[in-house]
Amino acid sequence: MIVEVHSSRAPRRRSAMPLFFLKRSAAVAAPAAVAALLAACTSGDVFGPYRGGDREGNLQSELGRGRFTLICQTDDLCDASNHFTLSSNRSIAAQSSFDVRYERLDATPVVTVGADANARYGTALTIDAASERVVTRAFDRGAGPFRAVDPGLTALLVYDGTGMVIDYAMARVAQPTSLALYTSMSGAMTPVPTPGIVVREGQRRAVRAVAQENKEVLFGYLPVEWSSTNPDVIAIDNTATALAVVVAQAPGTATVQARFGQLTASVRLEVSP
Amino acid sequence: MNRPTQTRRLLPPFNALCNIMKQATRMQPFAAIAPLLACAMATSGCGPWYDDTDVSLVRRPPAPLTASVDAPKSIQISAGAVATATIRSRNTKGQPMRTRVESRDRDIADVIGIAQSDAVAIVGKRVGNTSFDVYADDDRVDAFAVFVLEPPKP
């Protein structure tokens, strides 16, 4: 018995995204924030407890041929060797962007692919979503990271260079119900304390906004708008992603607010001399 | 894995006659005399010809997404879902035939081979209707209606 199925997929063009990210990275990265977040990326528990399963396998391979991992976008904070997973519930925040790494277990050496990794590693493997209503690409021509569009379920399929399916996993996109702020404390990202944060004049501190669904952290980089009630006291640097670097300008107090659609979260900062 | 069957090699004019009769057995106006045509083909040395195609789901999508194969020749799958299946055509002698499947509208549903497997992945992409054409030994022999359904809210 021989079954032949015609592939529906044309070979993909290689993306120039890594270069774009490198340029952006060089332009906007704050060294202190990079150091803090890289430390957070490589640390143990990041963004809350991890409940069950393999930390690096939070999307279950349906064919059992590899391992899917939701990873950071390749920007000024993380790269493929410094990825981190945000949550264990496999859910991704609607309107956020994210990337996927796939490690093929039956291949030697292990093949890693992702939205950005195709160009980076030169692999012929690609990942695509079954339903573009749920997950699509953040940029045209099938390049760049993924973007979660509307709540729903979709399969993420891995294709080889001939267009054959190698593996797939199911991903769930959820509508965020709340927003939470995290900051780096002792090298790990922790929720911002309710009373607020005390920083010294001239100090910089990374604050990150994450989406939640019923208090569960959702994966994905949110397009967050940041604001400070008193920019003379607390200025905000690097607002390109869900991360903001707050800069203590002068003694006083200010409240930093993150807004994502109708959701907001804020933290009070006190600047000491 | 079984070898695909091959139609017996015949002289070109006779082979063409066999093909015409094979096509006729699949056409509605000749349904009444299909057994007669089949008998004529069998006794004239035309050899076995296409009989039917089976679709068996191997792996269904996780709930609440669904996928099913319904009679007659209908596949239903949720948008965003993937189901793996085997699609096998057989001839009138019950022997497997070389089978190929193509979607008529790949934006609605697609059928894609799985590497190192004789199964295929049926992918529901967008809500709508289309069909999968089945080719056996390079002849289009059958079609399955495919309905991609609105998935339930997660």
Side-chain angles (χ1 to χ4, degrees), chain A residues 118-197:
Chain A
N118 294 334
R120 189 202 296 220
Y121 297 105
T123 174
L125 302 188
T126 54
I127 303 176
D128 241 339
S131 172
E132 291 190 343
R133 190 182 62 81
V134 179
V135 170
T136 185
R137 294 283 187 168
F139 301 96
D140 291 338
R141 296 193 300 272
F146 294 98
R147 189 167 71 89
V149 184
D150 288 329
L153 288 163
T154 185
L156 298 175
L157 297 111
V158 181
Y159 300 90
D160 67 12
T162 66
M164 301 276 276
V165 171
I166 292 176
D167 207 346
Y168 65 97
M170 297 304 300
R172 175 177 178 268
V173 173
Q175 186 65 45
T177 56
S178 61
L179 205 60
L181 298 182
Y182 281 67
T183 188
S184 56
M185 301 284 280
S186 304
M189 295 297 279
T190 57
V192 294
T194 304
I197 302 172

Side-chain angles (χ1 to χ4, degrees), chain A residues 1-6 8 62-63 65 104 106 130-131 133 152-155 157 159 163-165 168 170 172, chain B residues 1-2 59 62 64-65 80 82 87-88 96 99-102 106 110-116 120 123 125 154:
Chain A
M1 176 64 195
I2 296 175
V3 176
E4 293 179 355
V5 178
H6 275 194
S8 65
E62 295 287 329
L63 298 182
R65 293 175 168 180
R104 190 174 174 180
D106 61 351
S131 172
R133 190 182 62 81
L153 288 163
T154 185
L157 297 111
Y159 300 90
M164 301 276 276
V165 171
Y168 65 97
M170 297 304 300
R172 175 177 178 268
Chain B
M1 182 173 287
N2 298 323
R59 188 176 185 86
L65 301 179
V82 174
I87 302 178
R88 290 169 176 154
T99 307
R100 178 165 57 89
V101 187
E102 286 183 13
R106 289 163 174 159
D110 206 352
V111 53
I112 308 163
I114 297 175
Q116 301 162 8
V120 297
V123 185
K125 292 186 169 179

Side-chain angles (χ1 to χ4, degrees), chain A residues 61-73:
Chain A
S61 162
E62 295 287 329
L63 298 182
R65 293 175 168 180
R67 187 163 54 186
F68 289 83
T69 310
L70 298 171
I71 60 175
C72 294
Q73 282 179 220

Side-chain angles (χ1 to χ4, degrees), chain B residues 81-144:
Chain B
V82 174
T84 63
T86 54
I87 302 178
R88 290 169 176 154
S89 298
R90 62 175 185 275
N91 64 19
T92 48
K93 287 187 175 180
Q95 296 165 319
M97 302 176 77
R98 187 161 42 86
T99 307
R100 178 165 57 89
V101 187
E102 286 183 13
S103 172
R104 287 192 185 175
D105 190 338
R106 289 163 174 159
D107 290 334
I108 293 177
D110 206 352
V111 53
I112 308 163
I114 297 175
Q116 301 162 8
S117 169
D118 62 354
V120 297
I122 298 172
V123 185
K125 292 186 169 179
R126 182 161 53 82
V127 174
N129 303 336
T130 185
S131 61
F132 289 165
D133 288 332
V134 180
Y135 295 81
D137 290 349
D138 297 327
D139 291 328
R140 182 183 170 278
V141 293
D142 219 332
F144 281 76

Side-chain angles (χ1 to χ4, degrees), chain A residues 30-40:
Chain A
V34 171
L37 267 294
L38 282 181

Side-chain angles (χ1 to χ4, degrees), chain A residues 59-146:
Chain A
L59 287 183
Q60 182 183 352
S61 162
E62 295 287 329
L63 298 182
R65 293 175 168 180
R67 187 163 54 186
F68 289 83
T69 310
L70 298 171
I71 60 175
C72 294
Q73 282 179 220
T74 306
D75 60 9
D76 46 284
L77 298 178
C78 299
D79 60 24
S81 61
N82 284 297
H83 66 278
F84 62 91
T85 55
L86 284 179
S87 71
S88 62
N89 64 3
R90 304 181 196 175
S91 297
I92 302 155
Q95 303 303 317
S96 72
S97 58
F98 63 100
D99 208 343
V100 179
R101 189 181 71 172
Y102 178 72
E103 293 171 281
R104 190 174 174 180
L105 300 179
D106 61 351
T108 304
V110 170
V111 176
T112 301
V113 296
D116 68 293
N118 294 334
R120 189 202 296 220
Y121 297 105
T123 174
L125 302 188
T126 54
I127 303 176
D128 241 339
S131 172
E132 291 190 343
R133 190 182 62 81
V134 179
V135 170
T136 185
R137 294 283 187 168
F139 301 96
D140 291 338
R141 296 193 300 272
F146 294 98

